[in-house]
Amino acid sequence: MTVHPRAGTPARPDDLVDLTELLAAYRDRRPDPRIAAQRVAFGTSGHRGSALSLSFNDDHIAATTQAICEYRTAAGTRGPLFLGRDTHALSEPAWTTAIEVFAANEVTVLIDSRDGFTPTPAISHAILRHNRQGTPSARADGVVVTPSHNPPADGGFKYNPPHGGPADARATGRIAARANELLVGGLKQVHRTPIERALSSGSVHRYDYLRHYVDDLGSVLDLEAIRRAGVRIGADPLGGAAVDYWSAIAERWDLDLTVLNPDVDPRFGFMTLDWDGRIRMDCSSPYAMSALVSRLHGDGAVGDGAVGDGAVGDGAEFQVATGNDADADRHGIVTPDGGLMNPNHFLAVAIEHLYTHRDGWPAGVAIGKTAVSSSMIDRVADGLGRRLVEVPVGFKWFVAGLLGSGTSGDEPGPRLGFGGEESAGAAFLRTDGTVWTTDKDGIIMALLAAEIIAVTGETPSLRYRELTRRYGDPVYARTDVATTAEAKARLSGLDAADVTAAELAGEPITAKLTAAPGNGAALGGLKVVTDSGWFAARPSGTEDVYKIYAESFTGPEHLARIQG
């Protein structure tokens, strides 16, 4: 991966998207459904694209919304639909398009009562709350208008069925196929009413997403311990949908929490550039998070104690700083003694803490991880005596387990207490062992870092160093390589037989996986494993890149041999 020379430096005016051009393209430009790149296509988290490349325009959202109306009718989903949006420039016009189509189809839509932005976890929380309190004949579902951490010119449209999590491939396949039929037909079968009429119709109602979510946080975290310990938290929403949530959390739960950079700018001009020189709100990227890391570390001081002696940053401005992406489904954790934590490191620490501090969880709840997450999680799970469930990339694979119905929608499987992805997305159960959300929740993961400090007196970075003393110190790397749609398709079709070697980096190969061992679902790529290392290759579900993951428990030289 070639790192851009300006990666980690502040964006300049010429890096910013032209909002006038972008919004005009959404409204005025018409995609050609005969061209594959201009059709509706759902990746791991919804349909994403840009109006400038004719992959996310008014036509796409009108057709996709109509397809969702028809899909939910066929599925017997008759309750309200919870609709939220993030702070990307294309999110508001796409949200408006969706309301126009939902209202014309007489779908009851619940929008934010404060006319604010709505994090993905708040939508999942709202769906589950309604379905827990309502009747089976009036189940709710939802849509989040977000491209997550993608660049400012992008838009995204994600459907969450009544289980509250990301829709599976069967649902998104049917929705995308119908949406493309509607595009080919010139949208003649799309029902739509002007936004003014839609908002005044009986179909659109208000819902206080923020209050319901924030008031309920005490059921999933030990916020009283954080308050008593006075943990100093700096929370940076990176200009995203969590901006008002963090200030509300601080007030509601009386926490020493400062919202860093509360500004909302759809150009995200306050960001530092990511690895490739683009603006991307990736809270797991050291380049995108460099401003927050610099602020926490200042002149390099890490508190009164030396690094590694148990200090929790008593001399630093904050004892922990956190970041979220634009829809707050991902987390970034920055500590005074460790800087920005590798997402894999924090997942391992979070698991170790939760499974030793949640007495109300049912006995035997398993640990969920994606196939490209660190094998440190495997070793922590083994040390805890817990079953590990390894699934393909995509949070949808954790939904059934978090709900308590196994690891797929069709077959029984272990209950999950936690599900996490190497890309810094995770969720876990309430303290009483019931489901919290079935989508990624970057807010509770960020607050969990503060809980760990409050309860253990140690930073998550120090907790991870203690894990390495017990289980080994792995070296992990992910490389993103720009590619084409055709090359991505070839990569997703790799087979174990394509690997003819018997050894990897001098060690016997113990597994060649094209299906996840936890549920047998296709990985969409290939993973090769040895006793002390592994590599995996898979195409991105959201951008035209392919990703190569590798890990070694032997050291950097061995990792380089695995990658080579």
Side-chain angles (χ1 to χ4, degrees), residues 483-544:
T483 187
T484 64
E486 293 76 12
K488 286 172 62 178
R490 289 195 298 271
L491 178 58
S492 64
L494 282 176
D495 186 82
D498 295 323
V499 179
T500 58
E503 293 188 344
L504 173 65
E507 287 189 305
I509 292 174
T510 58
K512 303 174 185 178
L513 303 173
T514 56
N519 62 359
L523 292 176
L526 177 70
K527 181 177 182 180
V528 178
V529 184
T530 70
D531 285 340
S532 60
W534 58 271
F535 84 85
R538 58 172 291 271
S540 168
T542 60
E543 297 183 85
D544 281 336

Side-chain angles (χ1 to χ4, degrees), residues 48-409:
R48 296 185 187 179
S50 175
L52 300 174
S53 61
L54 288 172
S55 53
F56 193 93
N57 304 80
D58 181 81
D59 284 6
H60 295 106
I61 304 309
T64 303
T65 305
Q66 181 66 41
I68 289 172
C69 291
E70 297 173 11
Y71 175 83
R72 70 194 306 270
T73 296
T77 305
R78 299 181 178 87
L81 183 139
F82 292 90
L83 178 65
R85 60 188 168 97
D86 77 358
T87 55
H88 277 77
L90 290 176
S91 292
E92 183 169 358
W95 177 85
T96 299
T97 301
I99 292 175
E100 292 179 343
V101 176
F102 282 132
N105 282 271
E106 299 183 343
V107 173
T108 299
V109 181
L110 297 179
I111 61 175
D112 185 64
S113 61
R114 304 162 190 257
D115 292 322
F117 307 106
T118 311
T120 284
I123 293 289
S124 180
H125 180 272
I127 294 170
L128 295 176
R129 178 176 180 270
H130 174 90
N131 292 341
R132 184 170 58 249
Q133 297 175 350
T135 61
S137 61
R139 296 186 308 161
D141 53 1
V143 166
V144 193
V145 187
T146 174
S148 190
H149 63 293
N150 278 25
D154 284 9
F157 204 75
K158 181 173 69 171
Y159 176 61
N160 286 35
H163 59 50
D168 63 24
R170 288 173 297 182
T172 58
R174 288 178 58 185
I175 292 169
R178 178 55 178 156
N180 287 318
E181 287 179 0
L182 293 166
L183 287 175
V184 170
L187 305 182
K188 291 183 178 63
Q189 293 179 285
V190 172
H191 306 293
R192 189 167 181 173
T193 190
I195 186 62
E196 296 80 7
R197 186 179 303 167
L199 291 173
S200 61
S201 72
S203 293
V204 180
H205 301 271
R206 301 281 175 165
Y207 181 85
D208 195 342
Y209 290 99
L210 184 149
R211 180 177 65 83
H212 288 302
Y213 178 90
V214 172
D215 283 355
D216 205 16
L217 281 170
S219 71
V220 72
L221 293 150
D222 192 347
L223 296 174
E224 180 59 24
I226 298 173
R227 187 196 64 77
R228 285 197 311 268
V231 179
R232 299 187 307 280
I233 307 165
D236 191 343
L238 299 184
V243 58
D244 290 337
Y245 283 64
W246 280 115
S247 57
I249 290 167
E251 180 179 357
R252 168 66 178 81
W253 294 100
D254 192 23
L255 303 183
D256 187 352
L257 189 157
T258 302
V259 182
L260 309 175
N261 185 26
D263 296 333
V264 173
D265 170 14
R267 301 174 304 167
F268 295 90
F270 46 77
M271 289 294 298
T272 52
L273 302 182
D274 204 3
W275 66 274
D276 56 357
R278 303 181 70 190
I279 296 174
R280 190 179 285 108
M281 287 60 68
D282 184 353
C283 49
S284 67
S285 165
Y287 305 105
M289 290 280 280
S290 64
L292 180 59
V293 173
S294 297
R295 176 165 179 172
L296 187 65
H297 281 258
D299 60 1
V302 295
D304 295 336
V307 171
D309 69 352
V312 291
D314 290 339
E317 182 181 8
F318 303 109
Q319 291 168 284
V320 64
T322 68
N324 296 118
D325 61 344
D327 69 321
D329 69 345
R330 300 189 187 203
H331 60 275
I333 307 299
V334 184
T335 64
D337 61 325
L340 176 65
M341 290 190 72
N342 181 297
N344 281 297
H345 297 182
F346 187 63
L347 291 183
V349 170
I351 290 166
E352 191 271 341
H353 177 82
L354 288 167
Y355 283 79
T356 54
H357 291 85
R358 291 298 187 268
D359 295 338
W361 283 10
V365 288
I367 297 165
K369 62 164 269 191
T370 52
V372 296
S373 299
S374 172
S375 290
M376 172 62 89
I377 295 172
D378 303 50
R379 299 187 181 197
V380 170
D382 185 64
L384 292 167
R386 297 284 183 161
R387 176 175 175 178
L388 182 74
V389 179
E390 184 172 321
V391 300
V393 172
F395 205 80
K396 62 188 177 186
W397 300 110
F398 298 128
V399 170
L402 291 169
L403 284 171
S405 54
T407 53
S408 77

